[in-house]
Amino acid sequence: MASYPELQGRVALVTGGASGLGLAAAETLARQGVHVAVADLDAGAAARAVAALPGGGHLALGGDVAREADVQRFAGAVLERHGRIDVLINSAGIPDSFQPTLAQDVADFRRLVDVHLTGTYMATKAVVPAMLRQQRGSVINLGSVAGVLGLAPRNAYSAAKAGIGMLTRTMGCEWAAEGIRVNAIAPGYMLTPFAQKLIDEGKLDAQRIRRRTPAGRLGTAQHIADAMAFLASDASAFITGVTLPVDGGYMAWGAASDAYAGPLD
Ligand SMILES: NC(=O)c1ccc[n+]([C@@H]2O[C@H](COP(=O)([O-])OP(=O)(O)OC[C@H]3O[C@@H](n4cnc5c(N)ncnc54)[C@H](O)[C@@H]3O)[C@@H](O)[C@H]2O)c1
């Protein structure tokens, strides 16, 4: 893991930080000396995650990113404890229904867009006033290969992730001159509880994914957390408005054949 000494003593709010990619980010930032607030729908899991983090000054918060009052409470609690927020990671997320379009429930569509897209928008809106006062901050959103490639029938998820890619650009441009950077990471298929559940339910085929991925394997949460630490650090000071694929080459591949022909153990 790269070391970013400037992160020592900074403050991060990680939504969805009790599991998967958000949890890996919380652990990675805490190892760099960052005070981390883990905000999650599952308040108990957030408390357990925080109890296990290295270092101190961490905070567990329960709530729903799709509720504006909750995200404002998250930001207020972090500011009350630390007086600043240097990093926001918008990692709260839910899977979509995988139903064909005509069978999709509009309520499911709305909930997914509310959590991913509106949640990312509202959490950023709650945190950026503090970053503007500081004239510094890094917002890191979670996109997906699904926000770029057409993965039918994942309508709501794909539309929300594509929207997050554009929010990343518009907000990145809006605050660039004031020291606030907004970037996104587009993970490929990473083996987290989120992905493992979809594999177990037969909604994702891990062997097919490996054949479709030039690297020949699924990624790990740590691959994403390492990219997040870079985007949180001053090493990425002139990078804003971008969506960085961290996907083992998945989005780069366009040929009709398998991308990986090696053994599948
Ligand atoms: N794992 C992958 O392969 C992958 C690939 C591409 C994108 N992503 C994205 O990365 C993000 C994190 O995914 P993950 O794999 O870590 O999932 P995960 O299920 O392991 O973790 C998601 C966390 O978000 C929390 N959460 C869900 N709804 C919430 C809400 N309304 N308010 C607050 N917290 C909420 C959950 O309780 C959970 O702790 C998601 O946005 C997901 O779409 C994941």
Side-chain angles (χ1 to χ4, degrees):
M1 182 179 77
S3 177
Y4 303 104
E6 72 276 16
L7 291 180
Q8 183 81 35
R10 290 196 188 166
V11 178
L13 170 60
V14 184
T15 75
S19 176
L21 306 181
L23 177 59
E27 289 166 347
T28 297
L29 291 178
R31 282 200 296 274
Q32 302 269 354
V34 175
H35 306 303
V36 182
V38 169
D40 204 284
L41 196 56
D42 186 338
R48 288 190 294 279
V50 159
L53 289 179
H58 309 308
L59 192 60
L61 300 161
D64 184 346
V65 294
R67 290 169 50 93
E68 192 171 14
D70 285 7
V71 293
Q72 283 174 347
R73 180 168 49 77
F74 296 161
V78 180
L79 289 171
E80 194 181 320
R81 169 76 70 95
H82 297 289
R84 58 185 301 112
I85 306 177
D86 300 289
V87 179
L88 168 66
I89 298 181
N90 285 308
S91 194
I94 52 174
D96 54 17
S97 66
F98 286 79
Q99 293 290 316
T101 300
L102 300 185
Q104 278 167 9
D105 187 331
V106 175
D108 287 348
F109 186 98
R110 286 209 170 103
R111 174 66 183 160
L112 199 137
V113 172
D114 271 0
V115 171
H116 286 264
L117 182 58
T118 315
T120 295
Y121 166 75
M122 291 194 304
T124 306
K125 202 161 175 265
V127 163
V128 161
M131 292 181 168
L132 285 171
R133 285 195 295 277
Q134 299 157 198
Q135 291 284 290
R136 187 176 70 194
S138 174
V139 177
I140 303 169
N141 297 327
L142 266 297
S144 169
V145 294
V148 179
L149 305 173
L151 307 185
R154 304 179 67 180
N155 287 322
Y157 187 80
S158 304
K161 292 304 191 186
I164 286 170
M166 190 47 75
L167 269 190
T168 300
R169 289 184 190 176
T170 52
M171 291 177 166
C173 293
E174 184 174 350
W175 298 312
E178 290 166 289
I180 299 167
R181 299 181 295 111
V182 185
N183 293 294
I185 289 171
Y189 290 95
M190 320 308 285
L191 208 46
T192 62
F194 182 100
Q196 186 63 55
K197 184 162 177 288
L198 298 178
I199 291 167
D200 294 345
E201 291 170 355
K203 291 174 175 166
L204 290 181
D205 180 338
Q207 303 294 73
R208 280 300 317 147
I209 291 166
R210 291 184 61 185
R211 287 278 178 237
R212 173 61 182 74
T213 304
R217 62 187 195 279
L218 277 71
T220 65
Q222 192 61 49
H223 288 131
I224 302 299
D226 288 343
M228 288 182 181
F230 167 69
L231 290 175
S233 79
D234 296 352
S236 57
F238 206 55
I239 300 176
T240 197
V242 306
T243 295
L244 173 67
V246 181
D247 65 356
Y250 194 97
M251 273 201 274
W253 182 254
S257 56
D258 284 344
Y260 170 71
L264 297 175
D265 40 63

